[in-house]
Amino acid sequence: MGQPRWQALGSLAIVTGASSGIGRELTKRLTREGCRVIAVARRAERLDELAAECGGLLTDPNLGDSQLGNSQRDVVPHGGGIIPIVGDVTSAATREAAFEQVRLHNNGRLDLLVNNAGIGGIGPFELADADRMRQIMEVNFFAPADWIRDALPMLRANADRGPVICNIGSVLGHRAVPDKSEYSASKFAIHGFSDSLRSELAGDGIAVTLVSPSTTKSEFFDSLVGTEAGQVSKSIGSWPPERVAQAAYSAIRRRRSEVILSAGGKALVYADRAFPTLMNWILAR
């Protein structure tokens, strides 16, 4: 028999990139369903705003507020709410602060890790400096790998509850396109990493879910590096972050291996699988 569906009620999750876009909407959905969320982002004020929408802050009275949001509310021991962690996802200190909250609030047991934080870049590879590739890979691939490595003992401790690792990928991790070479590379990397981990962790009862959206409206352009102003994204099938978050939540609940979102995204991926030479010709033009 397979694992039961993942249950938000009473669970503890970590969501990176929680201050905007997919991460923000997914955090809101999880807390509405009774999940406590350790929300990780760089902007304290945005986490405070998010807390106001998600049932309040879940803080430990013995901790200082140097890595927490500015708002202080009563601890909500049951039901949803957020535990804000302000920091960069590539920082070991940020990871340790988040995992310390898992130890404090749930005896070191974690139900869900969502690797959502990401950045992008647009423009020909030849015209970009090496830093663009390194920055994108650091945030989009190496950071998720580090979060997963540190989270595994805590996820394994909750194996009876069917814990989930959810990596937010992209359709460009299935079929790359011109002028997004570094971003595509990072998403191909997280795709392959997810596939490998899924097999490695199957015996531990830990599911690995890969969610591959197309361009999410308004989000991609908020986090571009090494990119000239005024760049536009040649993409189809964009979804609002609320819709992507709903699809991600459904995939997590069902502990699915992979979901590809939007009609345009599916068309790109499946056309490439069926007619790779034709797709190369089309994208080159």
Side-chain angles (χ1 to χ4, degrees):
M1 294 180 62
Q3 286 277 356
R5 289 195 173 196
W6 186 85
Q7 297 291 331
L9 184 63
S11 290
L12 180 66
I14 294 175
V15 178
T16 68
S19 65
S20 65
I22 299 168
R24 183 181 184 87
E25 295 302 325
L26 183 54
T27 297
K28 289 163 62 175
R29 178 59 193 268
L30 288 167
T31 55
R32 283 200 303 269
E33 299 296 331
C35 182
R36 296 166 293 164
V37 178
I38 299 170
V40 182
R42 291 177 297 174
R43 294 174 287 183
E45 69 281 1
R46 294 296 298 273
L47 289 177
D48 286 339
E49 294 169 6
L50 180 61
E53 301 179 54
C54 293
L57 296 178
L58 306 175
T59 61
D60 186 274
N62 297 316
L63 293 180
D65 60 0
S66 60
Q67 288 185 287
L68 300 178
N70 296 322
S71 300
Q72 292 297 320
R73 301 187 179 201
D74 292 336
V75 174
V76 185
H78 305 291
I82 76 165
I83 302 158
I85 299 294
V86 179
D88 192 308
V89 292
T90 65
S91 166
T94 302
R95 292 197 307 276
E96 178 53 33
F99 291 125
E100 179 61 18
Q101 293 299 313
V102 179
R103 289 186 282 270
L104 286 168
H105 286 271
N106 210 37
N107 297 316
R109 299 163 69 91
L110 184 64
D111 296 286
L112 171 65
L113 170 65
V114 180
N115 286 305
N116 165 73
I119 59 175
I122 298 178
F125 172 77
E126 184 179 11
L127 301 182
D129 60 34
D131 284 343
R132 186 166 80 180
M133 174 69 84
R134 294 186 185 282
Q135 287 183 58
I136 290 173
M137 290 299 294
E138 193 69 40
V139 174
N140 293 4
F141 177 67
F142 289 114
D146 287 339
W147 282 84
I148 290 170
R149 181 183 293 108
D150 290 350
L152 281 176
M154 296 180 169
L155 292 162
R156 194 172 284 114
N158 252 4
D160 58 323
R161 288 178 55 87
V164 177
I165 297 167
C166 177
N167 294 324
I168 305 298
S170 170
V171 297
L172 300 189
H174 299 261
R175 167 69 227 199
V177 299
D179 295 333
K180 295 180 182 177
S181 56
E182 299 95 344
Y183 181 79
S184 296
S186 71
K187 294 304 182 178
F188 263 87
I190 204 69
H191 180 180
F193 184 53
S194 298
D195 287 351
S196 183
L197 277 182
R198 190 176 300 116
S199 299
E200 291 182 18
L201 300 178
D204 295 322
I206 302 172
V208 178
T209 297
L210 178 67
V211 177
S212 299
S214 298
T215 300
T216 304
K217 290 179 180 176
S218 80
E219 286 307 302
F220 188 76
F221 294 97
D222 293 340
S223 54
L224 297 178
V225 297
T227 302
E228 293 182 4
Q231 292 287 342
V232 295
S233 178
K234 300 174 183 177
S235 59
I236 59 174
S238 296
W239 279 10
E242 298 87 347
R243 190 175 179 187
V244 176
Q246 172 55 40
Y249 177 74
S250 177
I252 291 166
R253 284 265 295 141
R254 297 166 64 186
R255 305 177 87 248
R256 292 191 61 180
S257 295
E258 178 180 291
V259 290
I260 298 171
L261 307 183
S262 90
K266 290 178 180 178
L268 177 68
V269 173
Y270 295 132
D272 182 64
R273 291 178 183 176
F275 310 106
T277 302
L278 176 61
M279 288 300 295
N280 287 337
W281 183 85
I282 291 172
L283 290 173
R285 284 157 180 75

